[in-house]
Amino acid sequence: MKSIAKWLLPVLLLPLLLFALALSLALEDTPKLRTTADLAPEQIARGKQIFKQNDPRRLKSGSIAKVALNQEDLDLAINYLANQYAGGVASLRIDSDKARIEATLRLPANPFGQFLNLSLGLKQTPQLPSIDQLKLGKLWIPGMLAEPLIRYGITALQPEADRQTFANLVKHVNFQPRRMIVTYRWRDDLPGKLRGVLLSTDDQKRIEAYQRRLAELNLDNRNPSLTTLSKPLFKLAQERSASGDPIAENRALILVLTFYANKTALPQIVPQSSLWPRPLWRTVTLNGRDDLAKHYLVSAMLAAYSGTPLADAVGLFKEIEDSRGGSGFSFNDIAADRAGTRLGEQAVANASRAQTIQTLLATADEKQMMPATADLPEFLPEDEFIRRFGGIEGEAYRQMMQDIERRIAALPVYRD
């Protein structure tokens, strides 16, 4: 019996020892990459232009199309996604017939290392790229083992996604020096089939709850204040959070309000919502203006779902575009963007803060949600904006932004 125990113990310990060895090789104390992504308005403008030039919705279902993407644009996108969704840094390099993705992820405290530095090599094939190799720190993993490992990781992170549909979309990827050409077959039903990538089944159920509550409201006023809608929805969030996830509840609530205020139909992202009760369209206002309500909620949704750098950049990009021939640069709109962003941040900061926000906004009036803006400059053409404020790099502009931030910080809802 003792001889069996002596033989069995090493056999049982061997996997643990190998696992510990793998961790010690994979994890490191020094980050390989350090630069994070910060989207500028010009970069968002380029992204919009790329989509406009290659909008697949203009194609007939079943059509084959190609899109060329530069390394710089893809590098920025992958770095931003790594920063927002994994708290890390990433980069992309594209050469002839191959590409390499590198990333650094910060890890929770552990005895093996503070950072995971990874390098993923891709090689071109007649169809989709295959994994050439994966390197985790000092641990090298051949492609034949890396492929199933990465597939498992993707499944764990996004179990709702219809990956087979996406795989059928992309037909070929061609790597060229500093750019990638993607050949794909467009299908009109693709957005619905890929909806799981955007929203899980649980998320869709939460959205349905808030959409139904919104439809139940008796909106006699054709121009209701945002708080007329938000109070009953945040009360519902309080009730649902008692046995659920307050952060997820807040995200769903903000999304429903944003789509409603912008008079955008939910079936665009949740196809089955066409069967849900529909609220009557009303013009939602904030500080007596519907444009401020839209700015506020769009920024809140972007912050709640995507992170504040994107919300900041999108809001600023909108104002710059307006100054070039639209309504003009508006510090009113900027204030609404910043207040909405602050709400989105607070609503998903952590479970405790998410519930505090629900409690505050279940009874808050407009003055607690949005600072006074009537005295702020607006309708500024680009040349006047530059003359008076020196553009977005000017000292007068920075002082105005500091004043807006002070006004927002003074409101009870946004105090940490």
Side-chain angles (χ1 to χ4, degrees), residues 340-386:
T341 296
R342 187 64 173 154
L343 171 65
E345 292 174 339
Q346 298 269 329
V348 301
N350 54 63
S352 175
R353 186 59 186 164
Q355 290 178 305
T356 299
I357 285 292
Q358 292 168 0
T359 301
L360 291 170
L361 292 184
T363 58
D365 59 29
E366 272 199 358
K367 293 181 180 180
Q368 294 172 293
M369 292 181 66
M370 180 70 187
T373 57
D375 61 324
L376 297 177
E378 59 179 339
F379 308 128
L380 301 174
E382 184 176 17
D383 55 351
E384 184 179 355
F385 171 62
I386 294 174

Coordinates of all heavy atoms in Angstrom, one line a residue, residues 340-386:
G340 N -23.6 63.5 -19.0 CA -24.1 62.1 -19.3 C -23.0 61.1 -19.2 O -23.2 60.0 -18.7
T341 N -21.8 61.5 -19.5 CA -20.6 60.6 -19.4 C -20.4 60.3 -17.9 O -20.1 59.1 -17.5 CB -19.3 61.2 -19.9 OG1 -19.5 61.4 -21.4 CG2 -18.1 60.4 -19.7
R342 N -20.5 61.3 -17.1 CA -20.4 61.1 -15.6 C -21.4 60.1 -15.1 O -21.1 59.3 -14.3 CB -20.5 62.4 -14.9 CG -20.2 62.4 -13.4 CD -18.8 62.0 -13.2 NE -18.4 62.1 -11.8 CZ -17.5 61.4 -11.2 NH1 -16.8 60.6 -11.9 NH2 -17.2 61.6 -9.9
L343 N -22.7 60.3 -15.6 CA -23.7 59.3 -15.2 C -23.4 57.9 -15.6 O -23.5 57.0 -14.8 CB -25.1 59.7 -15.8 CG -26.2 58.7 -15.6 CD1 -26.6 58.5 -14.2 CD2 -27.4 59.0 -16.5
G344 N -22.9 57.7 -16.8 CA -22.5 56.4 -17.3 C -21.4 55.8 -16.5 O -21.4 54.6 -16.1
E345 N -20.4 56.6 -16.1 CA -19.3 56.1 -15.2 C -19.9 55.7 -13.9 O -19.5 54.6 -13.4 CB -18.3 57.3 -15.0 CG -17.6 57.7 -16.2 CD -16.7 58.9 -16.0 OE1 -17.0 59.6 -15.0 OE2 -15.7 59.1 -16.7
Q346 N -20.7 56.5 -13.3 CA -21.2 56.2 -11.9 C -22.1 55.0 -11.9 O -22.1 54.2 -11.0 CB -21.9 57.4 -11.4 CG -21.1 58.7 -11.2 CD -20.4 58.8 -9.8 OE1 -21.0 58.3 -8.9 NE2 -19.3 59.4 -9.8
A347 N -22.9 54.9 -13.0 CA -23.9 53.8 -13.0 C -23.3 52.4 -13.1 O -23.9 51.4 -12.8 CB -24.8 54.0 -14.2
V348 N -22.0 52.3 -13.5 CA -21.4 51.0 -13.7 C -20.1 50.9 -12.9 O -19.3 50.0 -13.1 CB -21.2 50.7 -15.2 CG1 -22.5 50.7 -15.9 CG2 -20.2 51.6 -15.8
A349 N -19.8 51.9 -12.1 CA -18.5 51.9 -11.4 C -18.3 50.6 -10.5 O -17.2 50.0 -10.6 CB -18.4 53.1 -10.5
N350 N -19.2 50.3 -9.7 CA -19.3 49.0 -8.9 C -20.7 48.8 -8.5 O -21.5 49.7 -8.6 CB -18.3 49.1 -7.8 CG -18.5 50.3 -6.9 OD1 -19.5 50.5 -6.3 ND2 -17.5 51.2 -6.8
A351 N -20.9 47.6 -7.9 CA -22.3 47.3 -7.5 C -22.9 48.3 -6.5 O -24.1 48.7 -6.6 CB -22.4 45.9 -7.0
S352 N -22.1 48.7 -5.5 CA -22.6 49.6 -4.5 C -22.9 50.9 -5.1 O -24.0 51.5 -4.8 CB -21.5 49.8 -3.4 OG -21.9 50.7 -2.4
R353 N -22.0 51.5 -5.9 CA -22.3 52.8 -6.5 C -23.5 52.7 -7.5 O -24.3 53.7 -7.6 CB -21.0 53.3 -7.2 CG -21.2 54.7 -7.8 CD -21.5 55.7 -6.6 NE -21.7 57.1 -7.1 CZ -22.3 58.0 -6.5 NH1 -22.7 57.8 -5.2 NH2 -22.5 59.2 -7.0
A354 N -23.6 51.6 -8.2 CA -24.7 51.4 -9.1 C -26.0 51.5 -8.4 O -27.0 52.1 -8.9 CB -24.6 50.1 -9.9
Q355 N -26.1 50.9 -7.2 CA -27.4 51.0 -6.5 C -27.6 52.3 -5.9 O -28.7 52.8 -5.8 CB -27.3 49.9 -5.3 CG -27.4 48.5 -5.9 CD -27.3 47.4 -4.8 OE1 -26.3 47.4 -4.0 NE2 -28.3 46.6 -4.7
T356 N -26.5 53.0 -5.5 CA -26.7 54.4 -5.0 C -27.2 55.3 -6.1 O -28.1 56.1 -5.8 CB -25.3 54.9 -4.5 OG1 -24.8 54.1 -3.5 CG2 -25.4 56.4 -4.0
I357 N -26.8 55.1 -7.3 CA -27.3 55.9 -8.4 C -28.8 55.7 -8.6 O -29.6 56.6 -8.9 CB -26.5 55.6 -9.7 CG1 -25.1 56.3 -9.7 CG2 -27.2 56.1 -11.0 CD1 -25.1 57.8 -9.7
Q358 N -29.1 54.4 -8.5 CA -30.6 54.0 -8.7 C -31.4 54.8 -7.6 O -32.5 55.3 -7.9 CB -30.7 52.5 -8.5 CG -30.1 51.7 -9.7 CD -30.1 50.3 -9.4 OE1 -30.5 49.8 -8.3 NE2 -29.6 49.5 -10.3
T359 N -30.9 54.8 -6.4 CA -31.7 55.4 -5.3 C -31.8 56.9 -5.5 O -32.9 57.5 -5.4 CB -31.0 55.2 -3.9 OG1 -30.9 53.8 -3.7 CG2 -31.7 55.8 -2.8
L360 N -30.7 57.6 -6.0 CA -30.7 59.0 -6.2 C -31.6 59.4 -7.3 O -32.4 60.3 -7.2 CB -29.3 59.5 -6.5 CG -28.3 59.5 -5.3 CD1 -26.9 59.7 -5.7 CD2 -28.7 60.5 -4.2
L361 N -31.5 58.6 -8.5 CA -32.2 59.0 -9.7 C -33.7 58.6 -9.6 O -34.5 59.0 -10.5 CB -31.5 58.5 -10.9 CG -30.2 59.2 -11.2 CD1 -29.6 58.7 -12.5 CD2 -30.3 60.7 -11.2
A362 N -34.1 57.7 -8.7 CA -35.5 57.4 -8.5 C -36.3 58.5 -8.0 O -37.5 58.5 -8.2 CB -35.6 56.2 -7.6
T363 N -35.6 59.6 -7.5 CA -36.4 60.7 -7.0 C -35.8 62.1 -7.5 O -36.3 63.1 -7.2 CB -36.4 60.7 -5.4 OG1 -35.0 60.7 -5.0 CG2 -37.1 59.5 -4.9
A364 N -34.7 62.0 -8.2 CA -34.0 63.3 -8.6 C -34.8 64.1 -9.6 O -35.4 63.6 -10.5 CB -32.6 62.9 -9.2
D365 N -34.7 65.4 -9.5 CA -35.2 66.3 -10.5 C -34.1 66.7 -11.4 O -33.0 66.4 -11.3 CB -35.9 67.5 -9.9 CG -35.0 68.4 -9.0 OD1 -33.8 68.4 -9.3 OD2 -35.5 69.0 -8.1
E366 N -34.5 67.5 -12.4 CA -33.5 67.9 -13.5 C -32.3 68.6 -12.9 O -31.2 68.4 -13.4 CB -34.2 68.8 -14.5 CG -34.8 68.0 -15.6 CD -35.1 68.9 -16.8 OE1 -34.7 70.1 -16.7 OE2 -35.5 68.4 -17.8
K367 N -32.5 69.5 -11.9 CA -31.4 70.3 -11.4 C -30.4 69.4 -10.7 O -29.2 69.9 -10.5 CB -31.9 71.3 -10.4 CG -32.8 72.4 -11.1 CD -33.3 73.5 -10.1 CE -34.1 74.5 -10.8 NZ -34.6 75.6 -9.9
Q368 N -30.7 68.2 -10.3 CA -29.8 67.3 -9.7 C -29.1 66.4 -10.8 O -28.0 65.8 -10.5 CB -30.5 66.4 -8.7 CG -31.1 67.1 -7.5 CD -31.9 66.2 -6.6 OE1 -33.0 65.8 -7.0 NE2 -31.4 65.9 -5.4
M369 N -29.6 66.4 -12.0 CA -29.0 65.6 -13.0 C -28.1 66.4 -14.0 O -27.1 65.9 -14.5 CB -30.1 64.9 -13.9 CG -30.8 63.8 -13.1 SD -32.1 63.1 -14.2 CE -31.1 62.2 -15.4
M370 N -28.5 67.7 -14.2 CA -27.9 68.5 -15.2 C -27.7 69.9 -14.7 O -28.6 70.5 -14.2 CB -28.8 68.5 -16.5 CG -28.3 69.3 -17.6 SD -26.9 68.5 -18.4 CE -26.4 69.8 -19.6
P371 N -26.4 70.4 -14.9 CA -26.2 71.8 -14.4 C -26.8 72.8 -15.3 O -27.3 72.5 -16.4 CB -24.7 71.9 -14.5 CG -24.3 70.9 -15.6 CD -25.2 69.8 -15.4
A372 N -26.9 74.1 -14.8 CA -27.4 75.2 -15.6 C -26.5 75.4 -16.8 O -25.3 75.3 -16.7 CB -27.5 76.4 -14.8
T373 N -27.1 75.6 -18.0 CA -26.3 75.8 -19.2 C -26.7 77.0 -20.0 O -26.0 77.3 -21.0 CB -26.4 74.5 -20.1 OG1 -27.8 74.3 -20.4 CG2 -25.9 73.3 -19.4
A374 N -27.7 77.7 -19.6 CA -28.2 78.8 -20.4 C -27.2 79.9 -20.7 O -27.3 80.6 -21.7 CB -29.5 79.4 -19.8
D375 N -26.2 80.1 -19.8 CA -25.2 81.1 -19.9 C -24.0 80.7 -20.7 O -23.1 81.5 -20.9 CB -24.8 81.6 -18.6 CG -24.2 80.5 -17.7 OD1 -24.6 79.4 -17.8 OD2 -23.2 80.9 -16.9
L376 N -23.9 79.5 -21.1 CA -22.8 79.0 -21.9 C -22.8 79.3 -23.3 O -23.9 79.3 -23.9 CB -22.7 77.4 -21.7 CG -22.5 76.9 -20.3 CD1 -22.5 75.4 -20.3 CD2 -21.2 77.4 -19.7
P377 N -21.7 79.7 -23.9 CA -21.6 80.0 -25.4 C -22.0 78.9 -26.2 O -21.7 77.7 -26.0 CB -20.2 80.4 -25.6 CG -19.6 80.7 -24.2 CD -20.3 79.8 -23.3
E378 N -22.7 79.2 -27.3 CA -23.1 78.1 -28.3 C -23.3 78.7 -29.7 O -23.2 80.0 -29.8 CB -24.3 77.4 -27.9 CG -25.6 78.2 -27.7 CD -26.8 77.3 -27.3 OE1 -26.7 76.1 -27.5 OE2 -27.7 77.9 -26.7
F379 N -23.6 77.9 -30.7 CA -23.7 78.3 -32.1 C -22.5 79.1 -32.6 O -22.6 80.1 -33.3 CB -25.0 79.2 -32.2 CG -26.2 78.6 -31.6 CD1 -27.0 79.3 -30.7 CD2 -26.6 77.3 -32.0 CE1 -28.2 78.8 -30.2 CE2 -27.8 76.8 -31.4 CZ -28.6 77.5 -30.5
L380 N -21.3 78.6 -32.2 CA -20.1 79.3 -32.6 C -19.5 78.6 -33.9 O -19.2 77.5 -33.9 CB -19.0 79.1 -31.5 CG -19.4 79.7 -30.1 CD1 -18.3 79.4 -29.1 CD2 -19.6 81.2 -30.2
P381 N -19.5 79.4 -35.0 CA -18.8 78.9 -36.2 C -17.3 78.6 -35.8 O -16.8 79.2 -34.9 CB -18.9 80.1 -37.2 CG -20.1 80.9 -36.7 CD -20.0 80.8 -35.2
E382 N -16.7 77.8 -36.7 CA -15.3 77.4 -36.4 C -14.4 78.6 -36.2 O -13.5 78.6 -35.3 CB -14.8 76.5 -37.5 CG -13.4 75.9 -37.2 CD -13.0 74.9 -38.3 OE1 -13.6 74.9 -39.4 OE2 -12.0 74.2 -38.0
D383 N -14.4 79.6 -37.1 CA -13.5 80.7 -37.0 C -13.7 81.5 -35.7 O -12.7 81.9 -35.1 CB -13.6 81.6 -38.2 CG -15.0 82.1 -38.4 OD1 -16.0 81.7 -37.8 OD2 -15.2 83.0 -39.3
E384 N -15.0 81.7 -35.3 CA -15.2 82.4 -34.1 C -14.8 81.6 -32.8 O -14.3 82.1 -31.9 CB -16.7 82.7 -33.9 CG -17.0 83.6 -32.7 CD -18.5 84.0 -32.6 OE1 -19.2 83.7 -33.5 OE2 -18.9 84.6 -31.6
F385 N -15.0 80.2 -32.9 CA -14.6 79.4 -31.8 C -13.1 79.4 -31.6 O -12.6 79.5 -30.5 CB -15.0 77.9 -32.1 CG -14.5 76.9 -31.2 CD1 -14.8 76.9 -29.8 CD2 -13.7 75.9 -31.7 CE1 -14.3 76.0 -29.0 CE2 -13.1 74.9 -30.8 CZ -13.4 75.0 -29.5
I386 N -12.4 79.4 -32.7 CA -10.9 79.5 -32.6 C -10.5 80.9 -32.1 O -9.6 81.0 -31.3 CB -10.3 79.2 -34.0 CG1 -10.5 77.7 -34.3 CG2 -8.8 79.5 -34.0 CD1 -10.1 77.4 -35.7

